[in-house]
Amino acid sequence: MALNPVALLRPLAGRALLRLLYRPVGVPVPVQTPGPVLTPVLTPVLSDRITSRFYATKKSKAKVKGQPSKVNLNWSLVEDIMDLDQVKGDMTAVLDTLKDEFTRSLGIRTSPGALDHIVVTTKDGKFPLNQLGQVSVKSPQLIVVNMTSSPEATAAASQALRESSMKLNPEVDGTIIKVSIPRVTREHRENLVKLAKQLGNKAKDSLRRVRSTAVTQLKKAKDQHSEDVIRLLEKELQQMADNMAADVDKQLAAKTKELLG
């Protein structure tokens, strides 16, 4: 294909024009005489920017104009349909519960606080274990619960320990409950990781239930509001649930790294 001479000369003409435009005020145009001619120098970056803008194509401009505009929800209208803050609060509560369970049930170090989450059911109601008995650490593999202050709740406390997610096997000696803690072996760490995954899946199920309840409420408002608003709200609920599920994955990944060392 033959080259267009005008197209070849265009960049040279553009740069010559730039030199004239950026010549200092008051400096006369030099006469073409033998010898070097001093002219102001443009930085390459500025020169390239101006040249590229000068030769910008219509195609690139059309692409910018063709971008879809962002759709904003009328939040005053949204408040009449449902309370998104309440939905977000319910989802956040699921994450807080997961974090609490990770801290209480999946520790690899023995401490008195390791049994604080154990709830004992008695004839007078439900009580935390540490309110019914005195918990103390005798060794890294042994926790002792002294039930002298509530001897009638000893059997219930032992049952609560046995049925907890920690898979404990307490031994009762009068009003003393001895709780053996498994050694921190590789197998024990891997079992804790499996339990962490179960808790993570349970949290995701809870998030889906929160979203499902909100969507059910949303569908009841279809007769009073436009389909576009309902559809945008459904997308907003899905995005909230996805973000919370991603946070669950982050917590699980951090806990897994901690447990496996």
Side-chain angles (χ1 to χ4, degrees), residues 134-231:
Q134 182 180 2
V135 183
S136 59
V137 177
K138 296 301 180 180
S139 71
Q141 277 72 50
L142 180 63
I143 296 179
V144 173
V145 183
N146 189 334
M147 299 292 296
T148 304
S149 59
S150 304
E152 70 284 355
T154 301
S158 176
Q159 181 180 356
L161 288 165
R162 187 175 288 105
E163 294 176 353
S164 71
S165 59
M166 298 178 69
K167 298 181 179 180
L168 302 173
N169 187 25
E171 296 179 3
V172 179
D173 183 9
T175 57
I176 301 298
I177 302 176
K178 298 179 180 180
V179 184
S180 298
I181 304 299
R183 291 183 179 275
V184 185
T185 62
R186 184 68 181 182
E187 181 181 1
H188 179 56
R189 291 175 182 268
E190 291 175 352
N191 288 334
L192 290 177
V193 169
K194 291 179 181 179
L195 180 57
K197 290 180 180 179
Q198 292 176 6
L199 293 174
N201 291 333
K202 180 181 176 182
K204 288 184 178 181
D205 289 340
S206 298
L207 289 175
R208 282 190 285 268
R209 284 194 294 270
V210 173
R211 176 190 169 278
S212 178
T213 301
V215 170
T216 300
Q217 177 186 349
L218 186 60
K219 289 181 178 179
K220 295 179 181 179
K222 282 188 174 181
D223 295 337
Q224 292 80 24
H225 301 278
S226 68
E227 293 183 1
D228 291 339
V229 172
I230 299 299
R231 185 165 53 252

Side-chain angles (χ1 to χ4, degrees), residues 11-27:
L12 298 177
R15 289 174 181 160
L17 177 61
L18 291 174
R19 291 194 183 95
L20 290 176
L21 290 176
Y22 282 84
R23 186 178 302 281
V25 179
V27 178

Side-chain angles (χ1 to χ4, degrees), residues 94-114:
V94 173
L95 291 180
D96 292 340
T97 299
L98 177 65
K99 187 180 297 183
D100 188 46
E101 288 180 333
F102 277 178
T103 301
R104 294 180 309 175
S105 305
L106 300 178
I108 57 177
R109 294 182 180 178
T110 305
S111 65

